[in-house]
Amino acid sequence: MTKLRLDNINLFYDNDFHAVKNVSLDIQESEILTLLGPSGCGKTSILRTIAGFNKPSSGSIILNGDDITELPAQKRNMGMIFQNYALWPHMKIKDNIGYGLKIRKMPKEDMDKKISGILKQVKLADQEEKFPTQLSGGQQQRVALARAVVIEPTVLLCDEPLSNLDYKLRVELRIEIRDIAKKLGITVVYVTHDQTEALAISDRIAVINEGVIIQIGTPLEIYNNPNSLFVATFIGENNTMHGIVREITETGSVIELSSGERLNAEVNEDLVKGDEVVLLTRYDSVSLYPENTVNLIKGQIKHKSFMGAFIQLEVTLGDGTSLITNESVNIEELDTMHEGDKITATIKPEQLLVFKDGIRVR
Amino acid sequence: MTDERVAEKGKKNKFNFKQIQTNLKNDPLSWTIIIGISLFFVIFLIVPLIFVLINAIYYQGSFSMDAVSDVFNSKYFFDPSASRSDYYFRKVAEEDTGTSVYFIRGPDFGVFLNTIVIGVFTTIVSLILGLFTAFLMAKVEFNGKTILSGLLLIPLVLPPFVGGIGFFAMAGPEGILNIYLLERYFGVKIILEGIVAIVLVQSLHYFTLIYLNVYSSMMNTDPSMEESAENLGASGKKVTKDITLPLSMPGIASGSILVLILALEDLGTPIIFAGFGDEIAKKTMTFYIANNLFTSDNSSEVVQTSAVLGGFLLIFAILGFMLIRKYVSLKQYSMVSKGRAGEYKMFSTNLFQRIIIYIYFTLIIIFSTLPHIGLLLRSMLSSGSLPAEFSGMMGSLNLDNFRTIFLSSEAAGFGNFIKNTMVYSLIATFVIIILATLAGYVASRKKFYGQSVFDTLVTIPIAIPGVVLGIGYLRMFSSAKVLFTVGDFPVTLNPFIYPPILLVISYTIRKFPFTVRAVYAGLQQTSEVLEEAAINVGASKSMVLRQIVVPLIAMNIIAGSLVSLVYTMSEVSTTLILINDTKYGNIVWKLQDLSGSIGELAAVGAFLMLLQAISLLATNLLLRNRADAMTGI
């Protein structure tokens, strides 16, 4: 069931900057939807529009079937977590969390019960008498989470809530946010520029660039099946090669790289001979142990880096293009490879993504 | 702040009537504040000033520039070719005792030019003292800066008039310096008079404002600015000349212009010198205006020449204020990256240089606290003149004057003045706290058409000469009716019937900027996200204001309103112009009257000085030496 619908939202700032362009989005009940994109892409503008802090220049916002476009922010009953926590320094933890309940005129007894319950959930039991400055960054963001969810919001809005925390805490807290949201069945709109975070926390991801939604899908779809060069390069680690279409076959096409090798791809839609295309492969799609004889690429090992679970090799092709491959190898194999060695790599045709004018060729 | 928010902040306001209507509907609280406060300032600040300007060029039914040209055609007002023979240190008499008497008084250029000359020279002298002091304090290594930084604030705490009394007790013809030092050991007397004396008294008071502004400019300058010049091979002197001073320009400029405005509109100093018989002190614009208000005793018609002079003061002040604003906006420039590791580079000193520095500070602190010392001594001397022996003076110090003003049966008179000061100032400060908090909030948090006009409206009173506003009030309200009566109190803006209401309004307007600036500064340092977080959980605008904003900036509100309180207690111009009945007089009004016991006046002045010192000390502790809050720039 659709919980929140954005219908053709446009947002201009007064200097005529068109921050959000024709954004339409359906967010389902209890879904975690992430708005992902580089900084300045408009994702926070969309979130602040949902919260009611920005008034859209056109379009409407529908919550549970009701148009709330004109509803003031304080009447929307949406919880929000801010990047810099935004805890009120003059109030104790319990007063920060209880503030929204007080506004809703909840009796003190129920309020205390609710506060200690939510504090337990965010692992901050018996911290309620402290002031925000007495807590660490991670603890402060847990308080912010508690403050936002304790009011039982219709939608929980998260504005890059983990950006100010270190890596370990980020991983820990994003799991907690997801757990709590799922346990309470809250619908979440989550903003981040961190693709790993987005892949880990989301049910669906909307990738945004220059105020426009480029692609919406599950993390798996977005990762494996990007619809454009922008999404493909923004998500995951890729090798980029340039080439020209030399042949169109029944099942695909043959593309000549600028380094001279000819590669088979399994796509040909809208391609004609002579088209200039961009080829993308994930690092883990390049193999140094050719099992077959198609799509062979000759090169020379430039760098060898031990990464723990795998080694990463940077291979230079004939024209100077770099190709990076992640290989899981054992110690003996590792010792046989040296920087400067000539090697042959291969890419399976089905793992070669082809883009013409930035659009994915199917 | 994310890019989107930056874009939102940086947006320009375009006129869009429909947008205003929507805004008004969406945010009635903010708009009520903006419109209400704007109306208050238009009625009680702008309209009275327009009355003055019109009065200057409109007389008996027609517009004419005659009154303006009359000023420039009269030697009384405008005499650039005045004899300068009096300008120098000149021996004019020899008394029977064999004492040589020297006068230093300066020429008389006429009312208009005297004021300009006083303003310019006060600014120059203050600039030299203030700049040098700031440089020593910020950039040169020596011990005792903590104590000095406290002592240097003393000049700020000086009630009007009594500063003059104190100055006369020390440096007057029969003052302590003349009698116990110069006459006794050197056989001379030095008598300071005229524009030279006024420049001296003003400079020793106002140099502090330049010192504070320049010092804060220098301390806020990123040290890496100077280090990189040094790194490129610039010597210490070159760094000072090419980097330190240019980057302190905003502080130097805003401090200087503030001093110029204050020197031009100063009424307290000329009144005291005039009271002690100095004829040239009577020939200053403010003194002339305050003493030539009405065309006749029974008329409420303002003298047109006073309106013309007032108009000029107003124009100078507003031009100066606009220049300040321009420079303050440049201030950001020098504060590139803060919070970096590293220390401010200091010039090291040798023993000889340190001795020179200590002599300089000893002299400057002695001279700038002369009025204070003199005032305290005077308040503890019962007799009218000084005893012949210094030991005799020290022996006759007592607290009789304080006993008289607080305890004796005569106290009734002073008690009433003290009570009135308290009532007027506290009510005005209370109104200021409420209105300035609201105004500071909308100015810092809302974007609306006319925002910069609103901003100017609530901060410009700092530059508006009190005498001009006073005339405007007389023109505008002298025939106002009594609206209704509450008990014995007639509710009316007519100062001739019941001045306190208009007086409190004038205090509110004139001392508003100090609090609104402190509130604004507090809000700039408080993230707006804290308010959004409250709105997000359902708090209304007024709840956000009461429960989040006010507690967060409480220190700023208190500090700002203490400064406002200090200045309302010592407000001179509108106090003298609007109060015309002893019954309504306050301390300041009483202090101008030199006909009574000078000792008792000095005691009341010392009491007022104590109140101010306590308030400013508290402010200083709260705001930690923030020059802009202290001086209102």
PDB file of all heavy atoms in Angstrom, chain A residues 14 45 48 53 74 78-80 82 86-88 90 99 104 147, chain B residues 4 11 529-530 532-539 543 547 551:
ATOM      1  N   ASP A  14      15.119  30.794  -4.594  1.00  0.00           N
ATOM      2  CA  ASP A  14      14.838  32.136  -5.088  1.00  0.00           C
ATOM      3  C   ASP A  14      15.850  32.669  -6.086  1.00  0.00           C
ATOM      4  O   ASP A  14      15.576  33.596  -6.820  1.00  0.00           O
ATOM      5  CB  ASP A  14      14.701  33.119  -3.917  1.00  0.00           C
ATOM      6  CG  ASP A  14      13.296  33.059  -3.343  1.00  0.00           C
ATOM      7  OD1 ASP A  14      12.532  32.203  -3.830  1.00  0.00           O
ATOM      8  OD2 ASP A  14      12.979  33.844  -2.448  1.00  0.00           O
ATOM      9  N   SER A  45      17.046  18.427  -0.532  1.00  0.00           N
ATOM     10  CA  SER A  45      15.915  19.310  -0.862  1.00  0.00           C
ATOM     11  C   SER A  45      14.615  18.524  -0.900  1.00  0.00           C
ATOM     12  O   SER A  45      13.577  18.982  -0.417  1.00  0.00           O
ATOM     13  CB  SER A  45      16.139  19.984  -2.215  1.00  0.00           C
ATOM     14  OG  SER A  45      17.239  20.857  -2.140  1.00  0.00           O
ATOM     15  N   ARG A  48      13.630  17.640   2.692  1.00  0.00           N
ATOM     16  CA  ARG A  48      13.129  18.804   3.435  1.00  0.00           C
ATOM     17  C   ARG A  48      11.759  19.236   2.916  1.00  0.00           C
ATOM     18  O   ARG A  48      10.968  19.828   3.638  1.00  0.00           O
ATOM     19  CB  ARG A  48      14.130  19.956   3.379  1.00  0.00           C
ATOM     20  CG  ARG A  48      15.420  19.650   4.158  1.00  0.00           C
ATOM     21  CD  ARG A  48      16.465  20.731   3.984  1.00  0.00           C
ATOM     22  NE  ARG A  48      15.976  22.042   4.401  1.00  0.00           N
ATOM     23  CZ  ARG A  48      15.914  22.429   5.666  1.00  0.00           C
ATOM     24  NH1 ARG A  48      16.327  21.628   6.617  1.00  0.00           N
ATOM     25  NH2 ARG A  48      15.447  23.621   5.971  1.00  0.00           N
ATOM     26  N   PHE A  53       9.807  21.677   5.393  1.00  0.00           N
ATOM     27  CA  PHE A  53      10.699  22.827   5.578  1.00  0.00           C
ATOM     28  C   PHE A  53      10.890  23.599   4.279  1.00  0.00           C
ATOM     29  O   PHE A  53      11.235  24.768   4.288  1.00  0.00           O
ATOM     30  CB  PHE A  53      12.057  22.387   6.129  1.00  0.00           C
ATOM     31  CG  PHE A  53      11.976  21.804   7.512  1.00  0.00           C
ATOM     32  CD1 PHE A  53      12.575  20.594   7.818  1.00  0.00           C
ATOM     33  CD2 PHE A  53      11.288  22.472   8.515  1.00  0.00           C
ATOM     34  CE1 PHE A  53      12.491  20.054   9.092  1.00  0.00           C
ATOM     35  CE2 PHE A  53      11.202  21.944   9.793  1.00  0.00           C
ATOM     36  CZ  PHE A  53      11.802  20.728  10.087  1.00  0.00           C
ATOM     37  N   GLN A  74       5.031  21.342  11.458  1.00  0.00           N
ATOM     38  CA  GLN A  74       4.799  20.804  12.806  1.00  0.00           C
ATOM     39  C   GLN A  74       3.560  19.935  12.897  1.00  0.00           C
ATOM     40  O   GLN A  74       3.345  19.241  13.886  1.00  0.00           O
ATOM     41  CB  GLN A  74       4.738  21.926  13.857  1.00  0.00           C
ATOM     42  CG  GLN A  74       3.776  23.033  13.577  1.00  0.00           C
ATOM     43  CD  GLN A  74       4.504  24.202  12.950  1.00  0.00           C
ATOM     44  OE1 GLN A  74       5.120  24.063  11.905  1.00  0.00           O
ATOM     45  NE2 GLN A  74       4.455  25.359  13.573  1.00  0.00           N
ATOM     46  N   MET A  78       6.023  13.743  11.271  1.00  0.00           N
ATOM     47  CA  MET A  78       7.111  12.963  10.694  1.00  0.00           C
ATOM     48  C   MET A  78       8.317  13.139  11.599  1.00  0.00           C
ATOM     49  O   MET A  78       8.666  14.241  11.976  1.00  0.00           O
ATOM     50  CB  MET A  78       7.455  13.492   9.303  1.00  0.00           C
ATOM     51  CG  MET A  78       6.343  13.265   8.295  1.00  0.00           C
ATOM     52  SD  MET A  78       6.799  13.987   6.719  1.00  0.00           S
ATOM     53  CE  MET A  78       5.402  13.496   5.720  1.00  0.00           C
ATOM     54  N   GLY A  79       8.977  12.040  11.967  1.00  0.00           N
ATOM     55  CA  GLY A  79      10.201  12.156  12.745  1.00  0.00           C
ATOM     56  C   GLY A  79      11.352  12.445  11.812  1.00  0.00           C
ATOM     57  O   GLY A  79      11.322  12.039  10.660  1.00  0.00           O
ATOM     58  N   MET A  80      12.344  13.181  12.295  1.00  0.00           N
ATOM     59  CA  MET A  80      13.485  13.459  11.422  1.00  0.00           C
ATOM     60  C   MET A  80      14.782  13.340  12.207  1.00  0.00           C
ATOM     61  O   MET A  80      14.869  13.777  13.347  1.00  0.00           O
ATOM     62  CB  MET A  80      13.348  14.864  10.829  1.00  0.00           C
ATOM     63  CG  MET A  80      14.432  15.212   9.825  1.00  0.00           C
ATOM     64  SD  MET A  80      13.819  16.430   8.617  1.00  0.00           S
ATOM     65  CE  MET A  80      15.315  16.802   7.710  1.00  0.00           C
ATOM     66  N   PHE A  82      18.757  14.409  12.007  1.00  0.00           N
ATOM     67  CA  PHE A  82      19.595  15.353  11.290  1.00  0.00           C
ATOM     68  C   PHE A  82      21.054  14.913  11.325  1.00  0.00           C
ATOM     69  O   PHE A  82      21.485  14.195  12.230  1.00  0.00           O
ATOM     70  CB  PHE A  82      19.486  16.746  11.927  1.00  0.00           C
ATOM     71  CG  PHE A  82      18.108  17.325  11.867  1.00  0.00           C
ATOM     72  CD1 PHE A  82      17.149  16.986  12.815  1.00  0.00           C
ATOM     73  CD2 PHE A  82      17.758  18.221  10.865  1.00  0.00           C
ATOM     74  CE1 PHE A  82      15.874  17.532  12.769  1.00  0.00           C
ATOM     75  CE2 PHE A  82      16.484  18.761  10.809  1.00  0.00           C
ATOM     76  CZ  PHE A  82      15.542  18.407  11.766  1.00  0.00           C
ATOM     77  N   ALA A  86      21.354  17.606  16.153  1.00  0.00           N
ATOM     78  CA  ALA A  86      20.373  18.632  16.531  1.00  0.00           C
ATOM     79  C   ALA A  86      19.706  18.339  17.868  1.00  0.00           C
ATOM     80  O   ALA A  86      18.516  18.556  18.040  1.00  0.00           O
ATOM     81  CB  ALA A  86      19.313  18.802  15.432  1.00  0.00           C
ATOM     82  N   LEU A  87      20.493  17.868  18.810  1.00  0.00           N
ATOM     83  CA  LEU A  87      19.943  17.713  20.161  1.00  0.00           C
ATOM     84  C   LEU A  87      20.005  19.057  20.847  1.00  0.00           C
ATOM     85  O   LEU A  87      20.968  19.796  20.691  1.00  0.00           O
ATOM     86  CB  LEU A  87      20.753  16.684  20.958  1.00  0.00           C
ATOM     87  CG  LEU A  87      20.784  15.276  20.374  1.00  0.00           C
ATOM     88  CD1 LEU A  87      21.565  14.348  21.296  1.00  0.00           C
ATOM     89  CD2 LEU A  87      19.376  14.737  20.160  1.00  0.00           C
ATOM     90  N   TRP A  88      18.976  19.366  21.631  1.00  0.00           N
ATOM     91  CA  TRP A  88      18.950  20.664  22.310  1.00  0.00           C
ATOM     92  C   TRP A  88      19.887  20.620  23.514  1.00  0.00           C
ATOM     93  O   TRP A  88      19.641  19.849  24.467  1.00  0.00           O
ATOM     94  CB  TRP A  88      17.519  21.001  22.719  1.00  0.00           C
ATOM     95  CG  TRP A  88      16.629  21.018  21.526  1.00  0.00           C
ATOM     96  CD1 TRP A  88      16.764  21.805  20.424  1.00  0.00           C
ATOM     97  CD2 TRP A  88      15.484  20.206  21.276  1.00  0.00           C
ATOM     98  NE1 TRP A  88      15.795  21.532  19.504  1.00  0.00           N
ATOM     99  CE2 TRP A  88      14.984  20.554  19.998  1.00  0.00           C
ATOM    100  CE3 TRP A  88      14.828  19.215  21.999  1.00  0.00           C
ATOM    101  CZ2 TRP A  88      13.866  19.961  19.438  1.00  0.00           C
ATOM    102  CZ3 TRP A  88      13.706  18.613  21.434  1.00  0.00           C
ATOM    103  CH2 TRP A  88      13.240  18.985  20.168  1.00  0.00           C
ATOM    104  N   HIS A  90      20.347  22.445  25.976  1.00  0.00           N
ATOM    105  CA  HIS A  90      19.875  22.901  27.286  1.00  0.00           C
ATOM    106  C   HIS A  90      18.876  21.927  27.907  1.00  0.00           C
ATOM    107  O   HIS A  90      18.310  22.204  28.947  1.00  0.00           O
ATOM    108  CB  HIS A  90      19.258  24.294  27.167  1.00  0.00           C
ATOM    109  CG  HIS A  90      18.080  24.352  26.231  1.00  0.00           C
ATOM    110  ND1 HIS A  90      18.174  24.013  24.903  1.00  0.00           N
ATOM    111  CD2 HIS A  90      16.805  24.707  26.437  1.00  0.00           C
ATOM    112  CE1 HIS A  90      16.999  24.176  24.332  1.00  0.00           C
ATOM    113  NE2 HIS A  90      16.140  24.590  25.241  1.00  0.00           N
ATOM    114  N   TYR A  99      10.233  15.616  24.403  1.00  0.00           N
ATOM    115  CA  TYR A  99       9.675  16.893  23.963  1.00  0.00           C
ATOM    116  C   TYR A  99       8.451  16.728  23.059  1.00  0.00           C
ATOM    117  O   TYR A  99       7.417  17.373  23.260  1.00  0.00           O
ATOM    118  CB  TYR A  99      10.762  17.700  23.260  1.00  0.00           C
ATOM    119  CG  TYR A  99      10.360  19.123  22.952  1.00  0.00           C
ATOM    120  CD1 TYR A  99      10.280  20.066  23.966  1.00  0.00           C
ATOM    121  CD2 TYR A  99      10.040  19.517  21.651  1.00  0.00           C
ATOM    122  CE1 TYR A  99       9.909  21.362  23.697  1.00  0.00           C
ATOM    123  CE2 TYR A  99       9.666  20.808  21.376  1.00  0.00           C
ATOM    124  CZ  TYR A  99       9.599  21.735  22.399  1.00  0.00           C
ATOM    125  OH  TYR A  99       9.218  23.026  22.131  1.00  0.00           O
ATOM    126  N   ARG A 104       2.443  16.523  22.471  1.00  0.00           N
ATOM    127  CA  ARG A 104       1.229  15.739  22.215  1.00  0.00           C
ATOM    128  C   ARG A 104       0.441  15.497  23.495  1.00  0.00           C
ATOM    129  O   ARG A 104      -0.482  14.694  23.523  1.00  0.00           O
ATOM    130  CB  ARG A 104       1.639  14.417  21.558  1.00  0.00           C
ATOM    131  CG  ARG A 104       2.016  14.609  20.095  1.00  0.00           C
ATOM    132  CD  ARG A 104       2.827  13.473  19.530  1.00  0.00           C
ATOM    133  NE  ARG A 104       3.165  13.731  18.136  1.00  0.00           N
ATOM    134  CZ  ARG A 104       4.050  14.638  17.716  1.00  0.00           C
ATOM    135  NH1 ARG A 104       4.685  15.378  18.606  1.00  0.00           N
ATOM    136  NH2 ARG A 104       4.290  14.841  16.433  1.00  0.00           N
ATOM    137  N   ARG A 147      14.410  10.136  19.723  1.00  0.00           N
ATOM    138  CA  ARG A 147      13.524  11.297  19.742  1.00  0.00           C
ATOM    139  C   ARG A 147      12.602  11.288  18.520  1.00  0.00           C
ATOM    140  O   ARG A 147      11.437  11.676  18.606  1.00  0.00           O
ATOM    141  CB  ARG A 147      14.371  12.577  19.752  1.00  0.00           C
ATOM    142  CG  ARG A 147      13.559  13.830  19.841  1.00  0.00           C
ATOM    143  CD  ARG A 147      14.436  15.058  19.916  1.00  0.00           C
ATOM    144  NE  ARG A 147      15.141  15.325  18.669  1.00  0.00           N
ATOM    145  CZ  ARG A 147      16.006  16.318  18.507  1.00  0.00           C
ATOM    146  NH1 ARG A 147      16.291  17.119  19.507  1.00  0.00           N
ATOM    147  NH2 ARG A 147      16.593  16.503  17.350  1.00  0.00           N
TER     148      ARG A 147
ATOM    149  N   GLU B   4      22.336  22.634  -0.712  1.00  0.00           N
ATOM    150  CA  GLU B   4      20.997  23.156  -0.933  1.00  0.00           C
ATOM    151  C   GLU B   4      20.698  24.296   0.037  1.00  0.00           C
ATOM    152  O   GLU B   4      20.114  25.304  -0.316  1.00  0.00           O
ATOM    153  CB  GLU B   4      19.937  22.061  -0.739  1.00  0.00           C
ATOM    154  CG  GLU B   4      19.965  20.956  -1.780  1.00  0.00           C
ATOM    155  CD  GLU B   4      20.825  19.782  -1.345  1.00  0.00           C
ATOM    156  OE1 GLU B   4      21.851  20.026  -0.668  1.00  0.00           O
ATOM    157  OE2 GLU B   4      20.478  18.646  -1.689  1.00  0.00           O
ATOM    158  N   LYS B  11      19.953  33.177  -1.346  1.00  0.00           N
ATOM    159  CA  LYS B  11      19.021  33.654  -2.345  1.00  0.00           C
ATOM    160  C   LYS B  11      18.663  35.113  -2.144  1.00  0.00           C
ATOM    161  O   LYS B  11      18.665  35.610  -1.039  1.00  0.00           O
ATOM    162  CB  LYS B  11      17.775  32.784  -2.345  1.00  0.00           C
ATOM    163  CG  LYS B  11      16.906  32.973  -1.122  1.00  0.00           C
ATOM    164  CD  LYS B  11      15.810  31.947  -1.164  1.00  0.00           C
ATOM    165  CE  LYS B  11      14.759  32.210  -0.123  1.00  0.00           C
ATOM    166  NZ  LYS B  11      13.665  31.278  -0.209  1.00  0.00           N
ATOM    167  N   VAL B 529      18.955  24.060  12.779  1.00  0.00           N
ATOM    168  CA  VAL B 529      18.472  22.680  12.805  1.00  0.00           C
ATOM    169  C   VAL B 529      17.825  22.354  14.152  1.00  0.00           C
ATOM    170  O   VAL B 529      16.879  21.575  14.228  1.00  0.00           O
ATOM    171  CB  VAL B 529      19.652  21.726  12.516  1.00  0.00           C
ATOM    172  CG1 VAL B 529      19.225  20.292  12.682  1.00  0.00           C
ATOM    173  CG2 VAL B 529      20.170  21.949  11.114  1.00  0.00           C
ATOM    174  N   LEU B 530      18.331  23.007  15.227  1.00  0.00           N
ATOM    175  CA  LEU B 530      17.748  22.750  16.545  1.00  0.00           C
ATOM    176  C   LEU B 530      16.279  23.167  16.585  1.00  0.00           C
ATOM    177  O   LEU B 530      15.469  22.572  17.279  1.00  0.00           O
ATOM    178  CB  LEU B 530      18.534  23.508  17.611  1.00  0.00           C
ATOM    179  CG  LEU B 530      19.965  23.007  17.838  1.00  0.00           C
ATOM    180  CD1 LEU B 530      20.731  23.955  18.720  1.00  0.00           C
ATOM    181  CD2 LEU B 530      19.946  21.618  18.437  1.00  0.00           C
ATOM    182  N   GLU B 532      14.342  23.344  13.766  1.00  0.00           N
ATOM    183  CA  GLU B 532      13.629  22.451  12.851  1.00  0.00           C
ATOM    184  C   GLU B 532      13.310  21.123  13.540  1.00  0.00           C
ATOM    185  O   GLU B 532      12.242  20.548  13.337  1.00  0.00           O
ATOM    186  CB  GLU B 532      14.474  22.206  11.601  1.00  0.00           C
ATOM    187  CG  GLU B 532      14.542  23.434  10.702  1.00  0.00           C
ATOM    188  CD  GLU B 532      15.445  23.231   9.510  1.00  0.00           C
ATOM    189  OE1 GLU B 532      16.175  22.225   9.470  1.00  0.00           O
ATOM    190  OE2 GLU B 532      15.422  24.089   8.612  1.00  0.00           O
ATOM    191  N   ALA B 533      14.248  20.668  14.370  1.00  0.00           N
ATOM    192  CA  ALA B 533      14.017  19.399  15.073  1.00  0.00           C
ATOM    193  C   ALA B 533      12.776  19.512  15.961  1.00  0.00           C
ATOM    194  O   ALA B 533      12.017  18.553  16.108  1.00  0.00           O
ATOM    195  CB  ALA B 533      15.239  19.032  15.894  1.00  0.00           C
ATOM    196  N   ALA B 534      12.554  20.686  16.551  1.00  0.00           N
ATOM    197  CA  ALA B 534      11.377  20.876  17.403  1.00  0.00           C
ATOM    198  C   ALA B 534      10.103  20.979  16.572  1.00  0.00           C
ATOM    199  O   ALA B 534       9.074  20.399  16.908  1.00  0.00           O
ATOM    200  CB  ALA B 534      11.549  22.121  18.258  1.00  0.00           C
ATOM    201  N   ILE B 535      10.186  21.714  15.453  1.00  0.00           N
ATOM    202  CA  ILE B 535       9.020  21.817  14.566  1.00  0.00           C
ATOM    203  C   ILE B 535       8.644  20.424  14.079  1.00  0.00           C
ATOM    204  O   ILE B 535       7.490  20.045  14.022  1.00  0.00           O
ATOM    205  CB  ILE B 535       9.345  22.727  13.363  1.00  0.00           C
ATOM    206  CG1 ILE B 535       9.536  24.158  13.828  1.00  0.00           C
ATOM    207  CG2 ILE B 535       8.237  22.659  12.316  1.00  0.00           C
ATOM    208  CD1 ILE B 535      10.004  25.094  12.743  1.00  0.00           C
ATOM    209  N   ASN B 536       9.674  19.649  13.759  1.00  0.00           N
ATOM    210  CA  ASN B 536       9.469  18.312  13.224  1.00  0.00           C
ATOM    211  C   ASN B 536       8.700  17.404  14.178  1.00  0.00           C
ATOM    212  O   ASN B 536       7.895  16.586  13.761  1.00  0.00           O
ATOM    213  CB  ASN B 536      10.835  17.707  12.890  1.00  0.00           C
ATOM    214  CG  ASN B 536      10.716  16.293  12.383  1.00  0.00           C
ATOM    215  OD1 ASN B 536      11.042  15.356  13.082  1.00  0.00           O
ATOM    216  ND2 ASN B 536      10.203  16.139  11.177  1.00  0.00           N
ATOM    217  N   VAL B 537       8.935  17.568  15.501  1.00  0.00           N
ATOM    218  CA  VAL B 537       8.153  16.733  16.412  1.00  0.00           C
ATOM    219  C   VAL B 537       6.848  17.416  16.816  1.00  0.00           C
ATOM    220  O   VAL B 537       6.158  16.952  17.709  1.00  0.00           O
ATOM    221  CB  VAL B 537       8.939  16.321  17.683  1.00  0.00           C
ATOM    222  CG1 VAL B 537      10.067  15.379  17.312  1.00  0.00           C
ATOM    223  CG2 VAL B 537       9.463  17.527  18.427  1.00  0.00           C
ATOM    224  N   GLY B 538       6.519  18.539  16.184  1.00  0.00           N
ATOM    225  CA  GLY B 538       5.184  19.091  16.351  1.00  0.00           C
ATOM    226  C   GLY B 538       5.083  20.398  17.105  1.00  0.00           C
ATOM    227  O   GLY B 538       3.980  20.867  17.381  1.00  0.00           O
ATOM    228  N   ALA B 539       6.224  21.025  17.472  1.00  0.00           N
ATOM    229  CA  ALA B 539       6.152  22.275  18.226  1.00  0.00           C
ATOM    230  C   ALA B 539       5.678  23.411  17.327  1.00  0.00           C
ATOM    231  O   ALA B 539       6.077  23.496  16.173  1.00  0.00           O
ATOM    232  CB  ALA B 539       7.518  22.605  18.810  1.00  0.00           C
ATOM    233  N   MET B 543       6.052  28.007  20.443  1.00  0.00           N
ATOM    234  CA  MET B 543       6.705  27.062  21.359  1.00  0.00           C
ATOM    235  C   MET B 543       8.188  26.970  21.066  1.00  0.00           C
ATOM    236  O   MET B 543       9.017  26.943  21.981  1.00  0.00           O
ATOM    237  CB  MET B 543       6.079  25.668  21.232  1.00  0.00           C
ATOM    238  CG  MET B 543       4.718  25.541  21.867  1.00  0.00           C
ATOM    239  SD  MET B 543       3.950  24.013  21.346  1.00  0.00           S
ATOM    240  CE  MET B 543       4.457  22.951  22.664  1.00  0.00           C
ATOM    241  N   GLN B 547      10.629  27.732  23.967  1.00  0.00           N
ATOM    242  CA  GLN B 547      11.260  26.583  24.612  1.00  0.00           C
ATOM    243  C   GLN B 547      12.620  26.227  24.040  1.00  0.00           C
ATOM    244  O   GLN B 547      13.406  25.558  24.694  1.00  0.00           O
ATOM    245  CB  GLN B 547      10.317  25.375  24.532  1.00  0.00           C
ATOM    246  CG  GLN B 547       9.061  25.629  25.355  1.00  0.00           C
ATOM    247  CD  GLN B 547       7.955  24.624  25.097  1.00  0.00           C
ATOM    248  OE1 GLN B 547       8.022  23.863  24.150  1.00  0.00           O
ATOM    249  NE2 GLN B 547       6.941  24.637  25.945  1.00  0.00           N
ATOM    250  N   PRO B 551      15.833  29.869  25.533  1.00  0.00           N
ATOM    251  CA  PRO B 551      16.808  29.264  26.450  1.00  0.00           C
ATOM    252  C   PRO B 551      18.214  29.169  25.852  1.00  0.00           C
ATOM    253  O   PRO B 551      19.192  29.362  26.551  1.00  0.00           O
ATOM    254  CB  PRO B 551      16.253  27.855  26.690  1.00  0.00           C
ATOM    255  CG  PRO B 551      14.823  27.932  26.365  1.00  0.00           C
ATOM    256  CD  PRO B 551      14.672  28.979  25.309  1.00  0.00           C
TER     257      PRO B 551
END
